[in-house]
Each structure stands twice: as structure tokens, then as C-alpha cells.
């Protein structure tokens, strides 16, 4: 996904940038990891750099990596069918374009909100592919016509528990869907499902 910025952000004072620095750090990290593209307007980039709220490494990445490629990433944004428009909040006066989904910048202070969700299944090519189609169909029915951003993991029957444990340690949104292996409603869970369910950080809907 590409994250653009409202021109209103360029008017932020140092105090306002300081209040939103966690969100900026989330977006910079997501860009660095290759999860998303952060495409700020040049005026916003300059305002942010001049505010001095970023440390030297963050400012260098914004200036030297994103800034030097700004014409390219802004061109990608203009040609995309859907992008996120980071706004100042409910009072932002920017009129969004057709591709924009306006979201207050503050929403991204929680880093989980910029991390691709993970789906853990026993077989990515059967279970994973089927569930991806289901998710896309449900989103379409709800009027959400956006690309599906989802990392699909699989571990086979015996490897799921380790994959689940490792995925939880990354603190990314995770949904684990497994066969119960029950022969009837009152039967106990199979070994694979039970190994995941007994994890102390697990719950009935993944995590």
C-alpha cells in the first residue's frame, strides 16, 4: 500500500510533529521493511525534517532514501488505484481524490496498524488460497475493493505450532485457521489444533 500525505500536514508546528512522531516512525519502518511505500508531499517532508523531531538515522532515511526518490514514489501514488491519505484528523480541509482513503495520521502511532496481517494455515496452496478468496469475496460484498495485503504462512501438520510461536513473537496481526480433526462435535481437538490452542498467548480467534 502507498501512504500519501495531506498538504495540511505541512503546516504542523514542532509540537504537533512531536505528537505524531510515533506514527511517522511506523511509516518509515514499514517503508524500510518493504511492507508499504511512504510517499509524503515535498512540503510535508520538508516541514517534518525542519521540525527536528526525528533522530539522525530517521531523518537521514527520510531525506536520503525517500526524499531522493520522491518523484518516483509520488508518480507511483498518482498511478495507483488505491492509496492511504494521511490527514491531520477530522478537521482536515483537503478534498481527497478518487484513489484516496483518508485516515488520520495518528492512527499509525500503533505500529501494528501498518504491518501486513499474517494468516497461518497447514497448507498455503490449498487452505491459504481458499481463505484468501473468501476474504476477498467478503470484502467485495462489503464494498471494499482494495488489494488484499496478507502474508500466508504454513507449516504442515507438525510444524504449525512452531510457526505459530515464531509468528506471535513478531507482534504482528495474526490469524491461525486449522482443521479441528474432530470426528464429531464433542470429540477433542486433534494434536495440531491443540498445540496451538494451548499456547498461553493464543485465543479462540488467533491473536
Amino acid at each position: 500500500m502507498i501512504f500519501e500525505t495531506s498538504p495540511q500536514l505541512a503546516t504542523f508546528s514542532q509540537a504537533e510533529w512531536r505528537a505524531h512522531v510515533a506514527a511517522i516512525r511506523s511509516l518509515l519502518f514499514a517503508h524500510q521493511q518493504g511492507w508499504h511505500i511512504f510517499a509524503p508531499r515535498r512540503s510535508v517532508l520538508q516541514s517534518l525534517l525542519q521540525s527536528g523531531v526525528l533522530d539522525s538515522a530517521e531523518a537521514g532515511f527520510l531525506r536520503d532514501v525517500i526524499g531522493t526518490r520522491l518523484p518516483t514514489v509520488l508518480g507511483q501514488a498518482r498511478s495507483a488505484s488505491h492509496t492511504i491519505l494521511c490527514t491531520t484528523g477530522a478537521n482536515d480541509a483537503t478534498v481527497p481524490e478518487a484513489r484516496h482513503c483518508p485516515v488520520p495520521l495518528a492512527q499509525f502511532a500503533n505500529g501494528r496498524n501498518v504491518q501486513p496481517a499474517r494468516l497461518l494455515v497447514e497448507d498455503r496452496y490449498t487452505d491459504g488460497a481458499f481463505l484468501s478468496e473468501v476474504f476477498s469475496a467478503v470484502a467485495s460484498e462489503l464494498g471494499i475493493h482494495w488489494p488484499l495485503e496478507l502474508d500466508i504462512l504454513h507449516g504442515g501438520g507438525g510444524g504449525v505450532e512452531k510457526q505459530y510461536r515464531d509468528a506471535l513473537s513478531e507482534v504482528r496481526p495474526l490469524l491461525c485457521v486449522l482443521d479441528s480433526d474432530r470426528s464429531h462435535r464433542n470429540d477433542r481437538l486433534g494434536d495440531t489444533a491443540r498445540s496451538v490452542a494451548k499456547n498461553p498467548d493464543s485465543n479462540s480467534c488467533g491473536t
Side-chain angles (χ1 to χ4, degrees), residues 40-110:
R41 286 172 175 262
R42 188 168 296 281
S43 60
V44 173
L45 182 146
Q46 291 170 344
S47 173
L48 178 55
L49 288 173
Q50 290 168 4
S51 72
V53 300
L54 299 175
D55 65 31
S56 59
E58 294 162 345
F61 182 78
L62 178 62
R63 181 184 60 247
D64 301 332
V65 177
I66 296 178
T68 55
R69 296 190 66 248
L70 208 53
T72 300
V73 296
L74 289 174
Q76 289 177 280
R78 285 191 294 270
S79 63
S81 59
H82 299 89
T83 68
I84 300 291
L85 180 68
C86 300
T87 70
T88 59
N91 296 323
D92 195 305
T94 303
V95 178
E97 297 181 31
R99 70 178 181 275
H100 289 151
C101 175
V103 180
L105 176 62
Q107 290 294 318
F108 305 115
N110 183 340

Side-chain angles (χ1 to χ4, degrees), residues 1-206:
M1 187 59 66
I2 299 177
F3 288 73
E4 297 186 77
T5 56
S6 161
Q8 297 293 308
L9 291 172
T11 67
F12 266 9
S13 65
Q14 183 184 55
E16 288 171 313
W17 276 125
R18 187 174 290 116
H20 290 80
V21 71
I24 293 297
R25 284 175 172 150
S26 292
L27 294 174
L28 292 176
F29 184 72
H31 187 110
Q32 193 172 33
Q33 294 299 307
W35 296 337
H36 304 291
I37 294 174
F38 183 39
R41 286 172 175 262
R42 188 168 296 281
S43 60
V44 173
L45 182 146
Q46 291 170 344
S47 173
L48 178 55
L49 288 173
Q50 290 168 4
S51 72
V53 300
L54 299 175
D55 65 31
S56 59
E58 294 162 345
F61 182 78
L62 178 62
R63 181 184 60 247
D64 301 332
V65 177
I66 296 178
T68 55
R69 296 190 66 248
L70 208 53
T72 300
V73 296
L74 289 174
Q76 289 177 280
R78 285 191 294 270
S79 63
S81 59
H82 299 89
T83 68
I84 300 291
L85 180 68
C86 300
T87 70
T88 59
N91 296 323
D92 195 305
T94 303
V95 178
E97 297 181 31
R99 70 178 181 275
H100 289 151
C101 175
V103 180
L105 176 62
Q107 290 294 318
F108 305 115
N110 183 340
R112 287 172 66 95
N113 291 340
V114 301
Q115 296 173 349
R118 307 188 102 179
L119 171 66
L120 175 59
V121 292
E122 293 181 69
D123 189 321
R124 69 180 304 168
Y125 302 107
T126 54
D127 305 330
F130 171 72
L131 288 169
S132 293
E133 289 296 320
V134 170
F135 296 157
S136 295
V138 170
S140 182
E141 283 294 315
L142 294 173
I144 303 170
H145 304 289
W146 287 59
L148 182 65
E149 302 284 345
L150 190 66
D151 287 346
I152 303 178
L153 308 174
H154 71 168
V160 167
E161 192 274 333
K162 181 181 184 306
Q163 285 271 22
Y164 187 67
R165 204 169 58 242
D166 292 346
L168 285 176
S169 70
E170 294 189 22
V171 201
R172 288 173 58 183
L174 172 68
L175 176 65
C176 182
V177 180
L178 303 171
D179 296 330
S180 69
D181 292 326
R182 287 170 165 162
S183 57
H184 54 82
R185 181 185 295 273
N186 296 321
D187 198 7
R188 75 177 208 159
L189 289 174
D191 292 342
T192 301
R194 195 164 61 252
S195 70
V196 167
K198 72 180 182 182
N199 188 300
D201 295 321
S202 180
N203 60 54
S204 61
C205 296

